[in-house]
């Protein structure tokens, strides 16, 4: 699997990765990750708040792949931002992962009054080489503009919920204009659009599944995708999105499905802060 996208650091990030949210079973999680590696996955996305960095680290240790062939992402949680312990949180993530560096370290949520200071710490981690790239998650245009005005390093990635029912094209275009790659989490909307007839018809024309069409739609927009999957057939199915193309009419049809639907929940502490 050689389909990658260039980051503003000069590094290349896989267009397809494995999301690990809520994957906390001590036996199952390493198995799923090892299965993913065997199918060609090289990007693994985790976070301190997922409580599975140690399991991700175990899976990497158990596999025969070289460290430089993997792309590992993790994130700093809101609490560490609020108490000003971002570097400590980063070191703990490295320890749990069993790594000397991560390929991408991200601000998980834009905590008001904190994210600029947090970003400055991430800039230091980037300069130290312990984070090969730094990015953000769940930032809108206003927050990104604020960040760009008060920083010296442009985020490499903005990870957001993006799928046919939550079309973030305006934000995507803003990011791409500023050299920021968009990465879509919950790209299958946790199954919310899988029974849409219009998507079924497009899938049938290409002899594909609806999830493959949804992922392909994002990839054609220049987005990286990190669907979560645990079963072998689903893991494999998600890799088979690079050998067909949606035409302009099909892309526009999928664009029209937007309902501003969010399948992921905003954390309670962010709701309280007016996110």
């Amino acid at each position: 699997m050689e389909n990658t996208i260039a980051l503003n650091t000069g590094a290349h990030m896989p267009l397809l990765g494995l999301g690990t949210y809520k994957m906390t079973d001590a036996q199952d999680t390493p198995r799923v990750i090892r299965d993913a590696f065997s199918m060609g996955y090289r990007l693994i996305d985790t976070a301190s708040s997922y409580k599975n960095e140690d399991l991700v680290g175990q899976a990497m240790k158990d596999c025969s792949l070289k460290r430089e062939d993997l792309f590992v992402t993790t994130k700093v949680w809101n609490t560490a931002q609020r108490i000003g312990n971002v570097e400590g949180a980063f070191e703990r993530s490295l320890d749990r992962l069993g790594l000397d560096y991560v390929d991408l370290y991200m601000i998980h949520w834009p905590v008001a009054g904190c994210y600029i200071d947090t970003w400055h710490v991430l800039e230091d981690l980037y300069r130290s080489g312990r984070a090969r790239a730094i990015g953000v998650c769940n930032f809108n245009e206003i927050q990104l503009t604020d960040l760009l005005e008060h920083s010296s390093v442009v985020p490499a990635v903005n990870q957001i919920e993006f799928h046919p029912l939550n079309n973030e094209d305006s934000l995507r275009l803003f990011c791409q204009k500023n050299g920021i790659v968009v990465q879509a989490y919950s790209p299958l909307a946790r199954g919310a659009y899988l029974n849409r007839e219009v998507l079924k018809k497009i899938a049938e024309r290409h002899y594909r599944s609806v999830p493959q069409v949804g992922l392909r739609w994002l990839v054609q927009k220049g987005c990286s995708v990190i669907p979560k999957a645990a079963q072998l057939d689903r893991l494999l199915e998600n890799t088979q999105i690079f050998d067909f193309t949606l035409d302009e009419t099909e892309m526009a049809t999928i664009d029209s499905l937007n309902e501003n639907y969010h399948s992921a929940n905003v954390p309670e502490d962010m709701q309280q802060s007016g996110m």
Side-chain angles (χ1 to χ4, degrees):
M1 199 187 304
E2 299 178 353
N3 294 279
T4 63
I5 188 166
L7 302 181
N8 58 24
T9 62
H12 283 77
M13 180 175 72
L15 280 167
L16 174 68
L18 178 67
T20 65
Y21 178 58
K22 288 191 175 180
M23 290 174 57
T24 56
D25 185 274
Q27 291 185 321
D28 202 43
T29 299
R31 175 196 61 77
V32 171
I33 296 172
R34 290 193 301 269
D35 286 343
F37 286 156
S38 72
M39 296 177 189
Y41 287 81
R42 294 295 179 265
L43 189 162
I44 302 296
D45 178 85
T46 183
S48 60
S49 65
Y50 297 173
K51 307 298 183 186
N52 63 9
E53 289 171 314
D54 57 333
L55 301 176
V56 172
Q58 179 185 328
M60 289 188 291
K61 185 178 179 181
D62 292 343
C63 79
S64 60
L65 296 171
K66 296 178 181 178
R67 170 65 185 94
E68 58 266 29
D69 292 335
L70 299 175
F71 194 102
V72 184
T73 298
T74 193
K75 314 176 190 78
V76 60
W77 186 243
N78 306 341
T79 308
Q81 293 192 65
R82 291 192 173 98
I83 66 176
N85 190 26
V86 176
E87 186 165 2
F90 175 76
E91 292 294 348
R92 289 189 292 276
S93 285
L94 277 187
D95 287 344
R96 288 189 291 264
L97 288 163
L99 300 177
D100 296 323
Y101 70 92
V102 293
D103 299 276
L104 176 63
Y105 194 54
M106 312 180 81
I107 298 176
H108 208 151
W109 288 89
V111 177
C114 297
Y115 64 77
I116 297 295
D117 289 338
T118 299
W119 186 252
H120 291 158
V121 177
L122 265 63
E123 289 180 325
D124 289 339
L125 295 172
Y126 172 60
R127 294 187 185 101
S128 77
R130 291 178 292 166
R132 298 292 173 88
I134 52 176
V136 297
C137 307
N138 303 299
F139 274 56
N140 59 32
E141 290 183 35
I142 294 172
Q143 293 155 341
L144 283 171
T145 299
D146 184 33
L147 190 68
L148 292 171
E149 289 176 351
H150 295 92
S151 63
S152 57
V153 178
V154 175
V157 175
N158 184 20
Q159 188 183 109
I160 57 175
E161 181 173 352
F162 195 174
H163 48 72
L165 302 186
N166 188 52
N167 187 339
E168 292 281 8
D169 256 352
S170 176
L171 179 55
R172 173 184 67 85
L173 292 170
F174 176 88
C175 287
Q176 292 175 344
K177 180 181 177 181
N178 286 280
I180 303 168
V181 169
V182 170
Q183 186 173 66
Y185 72 80
S186 296
L188 303 178
R190 300 183 183 178
Y193 63 78
L194 302 189
N195 290 318
R196 298 296 177 102
E197 285 302 320
V198 65
L199 290 173
K200 287 182 178 179
K201 290 179 181 177
I202 293 173
E204 287 171 3
R205 281 201 294 272
H206 292 276
Y207 302 98
R208 301 288 167 155
S209 68
V210 171
Q212 288 172 325
V213 167
L215 294 175
R216 181 66 199 178
W217 175 76
L218 286 162
V219 167
Q220 282 188 212
K221 289 176 178 288
C223 299
S224 172
V225 294
I226 49 169
K228 176 186 173 184
Q231 303 302 318
L232 286 171
D233 57 342
R234 296 292 176 83
L235 285 167
L236 182 60
E237 181 179 301
N238 291 343
T239 68
Q240 297 168 340
I241 59 172
F242 298 109
D243 58 353
F244 74 103
T245 301
L246 301 172
D247 64 30
E248 290 184 9
T249 300
E250 291 168 331
M251 291 291 288
T253 298
I254 300 172
D255 284 346
S256 71
L257 297 177
N258 181 51
E259 299 175 358
N260 298 318
Y261 170 79
H262 288 266
S263 63
N265 296 323
V266 175
E268 187 175 336
D269 65 331
M270 293 300 295
Q271 294 174 19
Q272 293 169 351
S273 67
M275 176 72 184

